[in-house]
Amino acid sequence: MTDINNVIYMDHAATTPVYPEVIQAMQPYMEESYANPSAIYRPASQAAKAVSTARAAIAERIGALPEEIYFTSGGSESDNWALFSVCEARGFKDCHIITSQIEHHAVINTCKRLEKLGVKVTYLPVSGTGLVDPRKVTENLCPETVMVSVMYANNETGTIEPVSEIGQLLREKKVLFHTDAVQALGHIPIDMNILNADMMSASAHKLGGPKGVGMLYIRKGVPAYPFIHGGAQERGRRAGTVNVPGVIGFAEAVRIATDNLDHNAEKVTRLRDRMISRILAEIPDSVLNGDHDNRLPGNVNISFKGIEGETLLILLDRAGICASSGSACSTGAIDPSHVLTAIGLDEATARGAVRFTLSEHNTPDEVDRVTDTLKEIIERLRTACR
Ligand SMILES: *Cc1c(COP(=O)(O)O)cnc(C)c1O
């Protein structure tokens, strides 16, 4: 195995290292308290109690009620559930959903599936920096609209959407609002009391927790059909034995990430801005993708004219640097990123994009080393082309 300690990891939007405290918190729920929390013997109630403590802890951090948190297998399941649930309530007929062109594939591909089942979907265009216009959301509402789904922050460009404003407008119109907050939770403040969302997806592994666990927030009183059928876990709304160690780890990760949010966001923003300004100043024909102001603390997404992003990634990897082009999920696919296309980049510029996503684990020295390496590689590639 490649020793991850010998590389510079700048792909935190793809996944994050698990906090040592999270691993420690999870361990007892695999070794000792391994009982199925649904059973009736005492060791089971110990596990059940830990799950309910974790649920309450996560709820408290986002201004929600414990009974509004439903544990799932991750962000993808939560997105699928939210969208399917409202459409199934209408029998997939006379049913309209509004979403944006820059959503994660977990939302986009779920919408495509729903279209095959008879649901109408509007994919809203975005501005050149990736922002959804709240007025366009209301302009596209029709009597059949059951839900609007707009992500909290984009995984490729880091653009933070005006979600509270969209939620406010939809509340007045009595249309349900779902937001994919996978990139936001633990990175920027989230408060369900001002968000005006009825459903919200999150995932543990994007904030220092384990993979394969996440949640769907469902506001109290909002009807929701189950998506996974089986046992009566999660108050009959999500079947399957609860991932006890995962849930414990998720809660611990949320605790650490939110406790340190202000400090980390400030530190990571400084690293991000140092990297962006150095690259733009020192590498000719480089352009920043996404919004300058409404941007996740750790996101650096830059296109280099005349360069193939994929080639750059391979050369960066050889230099021990982990980054990504577009989203990790579309690696292997030859189409340019749907997000970069939606913000209006021509195909060549979209293909020349590289995404570095930083965390509090990165240092100014790493930022400088990566920038220097990038500069060198691009110079080399450009001379070779001439
Ligand atoms: C990673 C990600 C997902 C998928 O989450 P998983 O837990 O990996 O299924 C969904 N939406 C966004 C915005 C993401 O970044």
Side-chain angles (χ1 to χ4, degrees):
M1 233 161 53
T2 312
D3 185 356
I4 196 88
N5 296 312
N6 290 332
V7 304
I8 300 180
Y9 186 76
M10 291 194 175
D11 200 17
H12 292 88
T15 197
T16 55
V18 180
Y19 290 119
E21 297 93 324
V22 167
I23 299 172
Q24 249 176 38
M26 291 171 72
Q27 189 106 7
Y29 294 92
M30 291 178 270
E31 288 181 346
E32 299 139 36
S33 304
Y34 54 79
N36 188 322
S38 302
I40 58 159
Y41 29 82
R42 276 165 296 164
S45 47
Q46 206 179 335
K49 212 169 144 206
V51 169
S52 97
T53 305
R55 193 188 310 279
I58 292 175
E60 196 255 323
R61 294 297 167 129
I62 60 166
L65 300 168
E67 62 265 35
E68 294 176 318
I69 309 293
Y70 295 84
F71 291 119
T72 66
S73 66
S76 299
E77 183 192 324
S78 301
D79 287 343
N80 273 260
W81 184 11
L83 294 159
F84 255 86
S85 163
V86 287
C87 296
E88 189 171 3
R90 295 274 182 114
F92 305 103
K93 281 190 207 68
D94 302 323
C95 186
H96 175 237
I97 282 180
I98 300 176
T99 187
S100 80
Q101 292 177 359
I102 57 153
E103 298 298 311
H104 189 272
H105 282 125
V107 167
I108 298 260
N109 289 343
T110 301
C111 286
K112 286 192 181 148
R113 172 72 189 142
L114 288 167
E115 282 186 283
K116 290 214 174 92
L117 296 173
V119 175
K120 290 199 175 62
V121 183
T122 302
Y123 302 88
L124 292 177
V126 295
S127 77
T129 63
L131 288 165
V132 173
D133 181 350
R135 273 172 315 169
K136 281 209 185 114
V137 174
T138 44
E139 277 166 23
N140 281 277
L141 289 172
C142 61
E144 290 77 35
T145 311
V146 287
M147 178 176 266
V148 173
S149 181
V150 173
M151 69 201 313
Y152 206 121
N154 185 267
N155 46 301
E156 290 190 42
T157 61
T159 300
I160 301 169
E161 300 296 337
V163 277
S164 295
E165 207 181 324
I166 294 170
Q168 175 71 44
L169 292 169
L170 292 171
R171 182 135 310 166
E172 289 160 15
K173 307 272 184 193
K174 297 192 165 45
V175 173
L176 293 178
F177 179 44
H178 165 256
T179 187
D180 175 338
V182 173
Q183 291 291 333
L185 182 63
H187 300 279
I188 50 176
I190 293 186
D191 182 354
M192 299 319 292
N193 295 303
I194 47 176
L195 182 55
N196 300 311
D198 300 290
M199 295 194 193
M200 184 179 85
S201 304
S203 177
H205 78 98
K206 302 287 175 80
L207 60 118
K211 293 165 186 66
V213 62
M215 66 170 208
L216 182 65
Y217 160 93
I218 306 176
R219 189 179 289 281
K220 204 176 164 180
V222 169
Y225 274 64
F227 180 65
I228 306 285
H229 300 272
Q233 291 92 351
E234 298 296 280
R235 287 142 312 196
R237 279 178 154 179
R238 198 277 186 183
T241 303
V242 175
N243 176 355
V244 180
V247 160
I248 304 298
F250 186 14
E252 181 65 2
V254 169
R255 183 190 69 77
I256 296 169
T258 49
D259 269 356
N260 300 297
L261 194 145
D262 291 344
H263 176 261
N264 286 344
E266 199 188 308
K267 177 186 171 182
V268 177
T269 301
R270 244 182 288 126
L271 292 174
R272 176 198 74 186
D273 290 345
R274 178 192 186 95
M275 189 157 172
I276 291 175
S277 51
R278 271 206 61 193
I279 292 175
L280 296 182
E282 298 173 36
I283 304 180
D285 288 325
S286 52
V287 283
L288 180 69
N289 297 318
D291 202 89
H292 235 296
D293 307 315
N294 304 300
R295 191 178 194 95
L296 285 174
N299 182 288
V300 177
N301 186 320
I302 297 193
S303 282
F304 302 97
K305 295 229 170 81
I307 302 279
E308 194 77 45
E310 296 290 322
T311 311
L312 205 47
L313 287 185
I314 294 164
L315 296 174
L316 284 169
D317 177 41
R318 276 196 209 148
I321 296 161
C322 304
S324 138
S325 75
S327 66
C329 317
S330 59
T331 302
I334 28 175
D335 293 338
S337 140
H338 67 287
V339 176
L340 300 180
T341 308
I343 63 173
L345 300 193
D346 59 72
E347 194 171 322
T349 313
R351 282 184 193 283
V354 178
R355 179 191 74 179
F356 302 91
T357 41
L358 317 178
S359 82
E360 76 271 23
H361 307 299
N362 293 118
T363 63
D365 179 58
E366 286 180 333
V367 163
D368 286 340
R369 274 155 60 202
V370 171
T371 309
D372 292 340
T373 307
L374 196 57
K375 217 169 126 177
E376 218 176 272
I377 294 174
I378 289 172
E379 257 168 32
R380 195 153 24 99
L381 286 173
R382 282 186 173 150
T383 356
C385 292
R386 253 185 253 127

